[in-house]
Amino acid sequence: MDQYSCERRSLEVEDGHVHGREGLVKRVDHVKNGELSCGRDDNWENNDGTSCKTEEKELSIEQIFDGKKVPPWSQQITFRAMFVSMLMGIMFSIIVIKLILTTGIIPSLNVAAGLLGYFFIKTWTKFLEKFGLLKTPFTRQENTVIQTCVVACYGIAFSGGFGLYLLAMSRKTYEQAGIDTPGNTPDNIKDLSLSWIIGFLFTVSFIGLLAVVPLRKIMVIDYKLIYPSGTATATIINGFHTPQGDKLARKQVRALGKYFTFSFLWGFFQWFFAAGDDCGFAQFPTFGLKARDHEFFFDFSATYIGAGMICPHLVNLSILFGAVISWGLMWPLIHNHKGDWYTASDESMQGLKGYKVFVSIALILGDGLYNFAKILYITVTTMYSQWQKNRTRDGLPVVTSDGNEAPVDAAIPYDEQQRNEMFMKDSIPLWVAGAGYVALSAISIGVIPKIFHPVKWYFVLVAYIVAPVLAFCNAYGCGLTDWSLAATYGKLAIFIFGAWAGKEDGGVLAGLAACGVMMSIVSTASDLMQDFKTGYLTMSSPRSMFVSQVIGTAMGCIIAPCTFWLFYKAFNVGDPNGEYPAPYALIYRNMAILGVEGFGALPNHCLTLCYCFFAAAIVINLIRDRVPKKVSQYIPLPMAMAIPFYLGGYFAIDMCVGTAIVFVWQKMNRKNADVMVPAVASGLICGDGVWTLPSSFLALAKVNPPICMKFLSRSMNTKVDALINQG
């Protein structure tokens, strides 16, 4: 996806241990379908790093929890869980909107969601227990419901397209794209309004949930898809609710709280020195003024240091490599050809800015289309292999489609038997999914053309006919690789529906609206299937997973637009030189223009460069997939490289500081780093993100910082001093 999601490939199984940034709950020697068995030393890890023998060492996860009754699905969804989910949904929506409006890099917040949900409810229950008022104990199923609801809520902040296709429709982005640019016409503007945004999100955000519900048994039980992020989340939640996991969770919460406080206070401190443009710590010329002019500096952002700690080292270094290639080499060289290659100003789409935008698009499309073809191939071949296997497989399944027990194969592990039985117990009737999909589709066909006039009713009908197939492909591919291609499907919709509508009939706006419809469907479908996998591994009812996903989506349809609107009114969102440049809004609009206008919108020699970088993205990916892993881990990711091409490399410095911290920490104490890095990083991200809320209110109240800390060259400082003395 173009907003490079750092939760991808976050789980690695190597040398018998689960590594990565999701954290270790327990050392394991075997991970299969989310089932944990004890390590060779059969030890748990204590807080101090020592090990202690336990009586559970020969037990599987479900045998450990065998004495605990699984509550009915209706009791897994509690008022306290929904209240905590709402508060956390607000916090994480602020963070995601901030990230989308700055760089578009969204790290995984699943660990923080699970950890904070555990902490809040555990604190709640312990308080009530002291007074003898506790009636319902806190279970891993309720923890999973919170996780599902929160992720669904802040997921709308991404799939809602606030820094993508929605902002691309605005007048400001239209003007940035160039009012004289062919295909960029005033009738392709949709002025943003909170009312129609909320209505649009409620119209399109629930379709994807219903599209894949009938396939949950096939995906999770029959095909046994891994869904690495969902499996990792379930592993963490299961670990929290064991005796040693409770101790570890408290340690992680303390670290998260400490760095949350530090990050919040650091953001507050920086605010005092940012009274004007180019003021404050965010403009510190770390490598000199000339380097700062080329967007190379450290801006002291706790958010991106934390993001760098969560993202794999390769992602961070790929971003830095892309910044060096573009801002260090390409753009200065192209700028030297001003007057020959282009005559417009550097900020015009027919000038240097056009090269930045369209070369970024070429890299993004090349990488996206390659991964689309790759995952489609993997999906088809894996399904065919599974079909061949099922044809020749002997024995009966554990459960039948109606949920009744069938003869049990003795070779099936105990955990899998228990989970299969629970997963099929609270089934969601097919008629509910089918009737709901038809009803919501009918509503969308009537409503969406009223919101976006260039979108014809039959555009929406075709989209919803095709959507279940695409949702299945995305959910299946995500289960195999942990990659969601929602943004890639959205970009394809821009070109297909934009060209269908035509240049003269608002094709740009139609393409952007179609992008929103498609992204919402395929994104929520893969998210739901991830949650089904998490619920399967924590013995949570699929019905409670579905209901909590619906509740979280409904929360997100209100919380995410209101959060965006706060940013939109308090700050100059979309200003390329401002605090929230929203770079992908301009990129998406130019994709739509390209779809209806063709290559005539490009400046001189830009098309040649686009061909080269499009091909380079495909070749680099091919090489990465062909060479051994020990070699591919040093080959940069084209999608990550594309991000700084337009935006600059300042945030890459921050993220590389984060990756350096993790690298040193892992060298000093690998076990401690694997456990504590997610908590520390989440604290840095959450504290800085939450500071945005009071800073927004200060901006709305016209309360400005008292000091402007600016960095000038010696000669410029002399001139300023002379001017002041003359006054």
Side-chain angles (χ1 to χ4, degrees), residues 3 9 149 184 259:
Q3 292 68 40
R9 302 175 182 174
C149 191
N184 189 38
Y259 286 93

Side-chain angles (χ1 to χ4, degrees), residues 533-712:
K533 182 68 175 184
T534 303
Y536 172 79
L537 296 173
T538 59
M539 294 283 283
S540 303
S541 167
R543 193 171 296 181
S544 68
M545 292 292 93
F546 180 76
V547 173
S548 61
Q549 182 90 10
V550 170
I551 294 172
T553 301
M555 288 180 182
C557 290
I558 297 173
I559 292 172
C562 291
T563 303
F564 167 73
W565 204 248
L566 180 64
F567 278 85
Y568 193 67
K569 291 298 183 181
F571 305 105
N572 189 14
V573 173
D575 180 4
N577 300 313
E579 188 176 0
Y580 298 102
Y584 281 99
L586 184 60
I587 288 175
Y588 270 61
R589 186 168 188 92
N590 278 285
M591 284 184 185
I593 293 171
L594 197 62
V596 300
E597 187 64 31
F599 297 119
L602 303 180
N604 293 337
H605 304 290
C606 186
L607 181 58
T608 303
L609 289 173
C610 289
Y611 282 146
C612 292
F613 278 90
F614 181 89
I618 295 175
V619 170
I620 290 171
N621 276 302
L622 278 171
I623 294 173
R624 281 181 50 81
D625 288 338
R626 290 284 181 262
V627 299
K629 184 179 179 181
K630 63 182 180 181
V631 177
S632 67
Q633 64 182 341
Y634 297 108
I635 300 176
L637 301 165
M639 186 70 77
M641 288 171 56
I643 296 171
F645 266 61
Y646 172 64
L647 199 56
Y650 63 92
F651 67 95
I653 307 296
D654 298 344
M655 296 184 71
C656 285
V657 169
T659 212
I661 292 171
V662 173
F663 180 78
V664 173
W665 195 346
Q666 288 176 334
K667 289 296 182 183
M668 295 174 63
N669 190 334
R670 175 82 191 210
K671 294 178 184 177
N672 184 262
D674 288 338
V675 169
M676 299 308 298
V677 161
V680 171
S682 298
L684 291 173
I685 294 170
C686 294
D688 195 37
V690 170
W691 162 247
T692 306
L693 193 60
S695 68
S696 302
F697 290 133
L698 290 171
L700 289 171
K702 307 298 181 184
V703 177
N704 297 314
I707 303 169
C708 175
M709 183 173 68
K710 215 159 194 172
F711 302 94
L712 306 173

Side-chain angles (χ1 to χ4, degrees), residues 67-132:
K68 296 184 178 181
K69 182 181 178 182
V70 177
W73 75 269
S74 57
Q75 294 180 18
Q76 295 174 19
I77 304 173
T78 62
F79 171 78
R80 66 191 182 194
M82 294 299 99
F83 181 73
V84 167
S85 298
M86 182 185 68
L87 295 180
M88 292 172 57
I90 292 172
M91 181 176 71
F92 286 129
S93 292
I94 293 172
I95 294 168
V96 171
I97 293 291
K98 178 180 179 180
L99 293 171
I100 287 176
L101 295 180
T102 48
T103 64
I105 301 173
I106 307 170
S108 173
L109 298 172
N110 290 5
V111 172
L115 185 60
L116 286 174
Y118 177 85
F119 168 71
F120 287 138
I121 300 296
K122 200 70 174 176
T123 303
W124 186 326
T125 54
K126 284 188 175 181
F127 176 78
L128 293 178
E129 193 173 17
K130 284 184 179 181
F131 295 95

